[in-house]
Amino acid sequence: MKKKKKNENSSKIFLGHDHGVCFGDAITQIEDYFIKKKLQLTPLRRKVFEILIEDHKPLGAYEILEKLGKTGFSSSPPIAYRVLDFLIVHGFVHKVQGLNGFIACSNPNHSHFPTFVICRKCEKVAEVSEEKSGLKLPSPEISNFKIEKTTIELTGICSTCENAEIR
Amino acid sequence: MKKKKKNENSSKIFLGHDHGVCFGDAITQIEDYFIKKKLQLTPLRRKVFEILIEDHKPLGAYEILEKLGKTGFSSSPPIAYRVLDFLIVHGFVHKVQGLNGFIACSNPNHSHFPTFVICRKCEKVAEVSEEKSGLKLPSPEISNFKIEKTTIELTGICSTCENAEIR
DNA sequence: GTTAGTGTGTTATGTTATAACATGTAATGA
DNA sequence: TCATTACATGTTATAACATAACACACTAAC
Ligand SMILES: [Zn+2]
Ligand SMILES: [Zn+2]
Ligand SMILES: [Zn+2]
Ligand SMILES: [Zn+2]
């Protein structure tokens, strides 16, 4: 039998939240991953991840630092940038270039090339998987180029905000 | 003698330069566009565009400022950022987010959603059109989101650099 | 118990971008 | 004619984002 599943969601990528994992799940996932990979999920790293997963929207490094400071950690810039780099390398955080912000991955624990859909008005950001976005990358052979990392960000206006616009 | 067709390059997007318009052409194109749209191609705007088209690679705002300073213009930051914004709005320049750099458009004068292919080793950057990239954006209706602007950047290693790598 | 690797902290600095205000010039139109 | 507007450029100061370099503690390995 054919699956219609995919298209059900794809018609409203930007509605609701496409939060594959929610708070508890996310913490469990990162714990498991760190154990499996023999990495240290230190209090600092855990805190930074919690800050990001909490309201699951992009935060600037300095916003994160402020929150860290309030919970007893150092709030000097290298602290945040180092931990963020680490979490990015291991796929639990992405950088949203267009906002100079950092966001918890919606579907971590596997390598992927996500698309970020960003409403310029309400500033909501959705992470959309390759399948759902309908976006297909060029095959490496064709482009004669080995893709290691992608930055794909679609900025515009979500239907909610568009309907609310007067112009 | 026939002219080489564009798709001859499409199997090697990243080789040679995918420079749809070269220096003279580019200047002519921007002149025509500005006249048609009744915009002022002032000496400053022209100079910034010339700087970018000259070696057609991404330059930082402060690199551009330095070059401006050497030719008698002001070299205070707002000068560059304002002109760059203007040229971006009118489609003659793109920002390469991954490099905090600005690059002259390879195929200006029409609206498009280009892909930038960036070699992390030689730092060459190619602007690839939607057709050539093989990359297809989700249709607006499907995503329930009106795309106004895209940032699509593929970072990795070009075949030339890969062949030269020891590892 | 020395060494190497890792994680966090600190100070200082580098890089990228914008806010706010000032001046000049040309077109518009009471 | 002379205000009004629009626009282009210039200046100063500062904001926002990011990294270099060094210090110190902890642990595991040798
Ligand atoms: Zn993700
Ligand atoms: Zn919105
Ligand atoms: Zn272009
Ligand atoms: Zn290369």
Side-chain angles (χ1 to χ4, degrees), chain A residues 94 105-107 112 114 127:
Chain A
H94 298 292
C105 177
S106 283
N107 191 197
H112 60 178
E127 176 178 348

Side-chain angles (χ1 to χ4, degrees), chain A residues 71-130:
Chain A
T71 56
F73 291 95
S74 163
S75 61
S76 45
I79 294 294
Y81 285 104
R82 278 193 299 231
V83 171
L84 288 167
D85 281 350
F86 187 88
L87 294 173
I88 288 169
V89 164
H90 293 286
F92 290 88
V93 168
H94 298 292
K95 178 163 189 188
V96 181
Q97 292 279 5
L99 303 171
N100 290 319
F102 301 87
I103 189 167
C105 177
S106 283
N107 191 197
N109 220 336
H110 69 102
S111 131
H112 60 178
F113 294 136
T115 295
F116 289 92
V117 181
I118 305 163
C119 177
R120 64 164 160 77
K121 193 164 179 210
C122 65
E123 299 202 301
K124 281 210 189 83
V125 175
E127 176 178 348
V128 184
S129 63
E130 286 141 287

